[in-house]
Amino acid sequence: MTPGNILAVATLKGGSGKSTLASCLAVHWRQTGRDPALIDADPQRSLLRLAARQGALGGVPVIEDSGDTVIATARAQSQAHAPVIVDTAGFRAPSTLAALAAADLVVVPVKASPLDVDVMVDTARTLFAARDGRRPRFRCVLTQTTRDSVIARHIRSELMAAGFPLFECEIVNRIAYGEAALYGTTPTIAEPRGAAAREIAALAEEIESVLARKGDPE
Ligand SMILES: Nc1ncnc2c1ncn2[C@@H]1O[C@H](COP(=O)(O)OP(=O)(O)OP(=O)(O)O)[C@@H](O)[C@H]1O
Ligand SMILES: [Mg+2]
């Protein structure tokens, strides 16, 4: 990954797994020899609280900025760290809009529930409308999916029909995510060979390949 890549993790629906995903990706990249930084742009301070626990998110630095100054903060951090991952608030806050404007790629976790997909489709067009002539580049990822259920498959096809690009990889509903968070770590540290660590690695790889095609038209 080239230096200077900024990722934002954003949705309009609370509890979709933004903070979980942001922390898991950051720890994965740190464990594989990169030097990521997290920016906590959510006044709930979920990442700061995780980093204060025993595992300290494997040493990934967490910078707090929930103001619209988050663009400048993300760009400043990207001079020293790559990637910079911004965890946004679960609502349409000015800091969320700023993070979207600063991001090279917005990762949108969509909880695999039939209710969430309606919210997603109804509101995503506004969230991802072009600002200053630039439409943020984004990809959805299904989260908290249940294996052997038709729900994720159904939501995947609805999102595709609505024109929302999706990552192949899905984040399954696994206790490993919550258990690791209790100690301020992620599955990559707590259970490096486990299924959760492997799906995070697969998602990280997909993100890297999208970022590598930076100049491509969407
Ligand atoms: N893949 C998963 N499997 C099981 N539990 C998960 C998974 N992803 C997230 N969770 C749990 O779901 C809850 C919400 O996740 P998280 O805090 O990451 O969402 P969020 O989008 O950041 O929420 P908020 O909008 O409040 O910031 C947490 O308790 C978290 O541990
Ligand atoms: Mg959160």
Side-chain angles (χ1 to χ4, degrees):
M1 189 175 288
T2 50
N5 284 311
I6 299 174
L7 292 175
V9 185
T11 48
L12 289 161
K13 181 88 184 162
S16 307
K18 291 181 295 293
S19 303
T20 301
L21 210 53
S23 56
C24 286
L25 287 168
V27 169
H28 166 82
W29 277 314
R30 170 105 179 180
Q31 295 287 108
T32 51
R34 299 201 166 92
D35 185 13
L38 282 162
I39 298 184
D40 194 343
D42 185 351
Q44 288 189 103
R45 306 171 84 241
S46 306
L47 294 183
L48 284 155
R49 286 187 282 116
L50 276 179
R53 294 178 188 166
Q54 192 183 341
L57 289 179
V60 176
V62 182
I63 296 99
E64 180 176 14
D65 188 344
S66 56
D68 53 11
T69 45
V70 72
I71 298 189
T73 303
R75 291 198 176 133
Q77 288 301 320
S78 75
Q79 300 299 312
H81 297 279
V84 172
I85 305 162
V86 186
D87 182 27
T88 62
F91 49 87
R92 204 152 12 133
S95 62
T96 301
L97 297 179
L100 296 184
D104 297 301
L105 178 67
V106 183
V107 178
V108 182
V110 180
K111 195 169 161 180
S113 117
L115 301 179
D116 290 295
V117 76
D118 297 339
V119 176
M120 170 73 202
V121 170
D122 288 350
T123 49
R125 287 191 180 91
T126 342
L127 185 61
F128 296 113
R131 254 176 290 278
D132 307 326
R134 181 182 170 271
R135 181 176 185 254
R137 191 184 204 193
F138 72 99
R139 288 278 186 290
C140 301
V141 57
L142 290 176
T143 60
Q144 301 176 54
T145 61
T146 308
R147 272 167 299 175
D148 305 322
S149 148
V150 297
I151 298 174
R153 225 178 317 142
H154 178 83
I155 291 175
R156 181 175 285 275
S157 63
E158 283 207 16
L159 289 173
M160 283 167 69
F164 297 137
L166 272 146
F167 287 113
E168 280 297 316
C169 169
E170 289 175 13
I171 305 298
V172 173
N173 189 11
R174 300 178 198 277
I175 199 72
Y177 288 101
E179 281 182 351
L182 278 177
Y183 301 100
T185 69
T186 70
T188 302
I189 292 174
E191 222 183 310
R193 288 172 203 279
R198 292 202 307 272
E199 70 196 5
I200 289 296
L203 177 62
E205 205 172 298
E206 279 196 74
I207 292 173
E208 288 176 45
S209 91
V210 172
L211 286 172
R213 298 194 304 266
K214 205 168 181 171
D216 288 1
E218 284 293 289

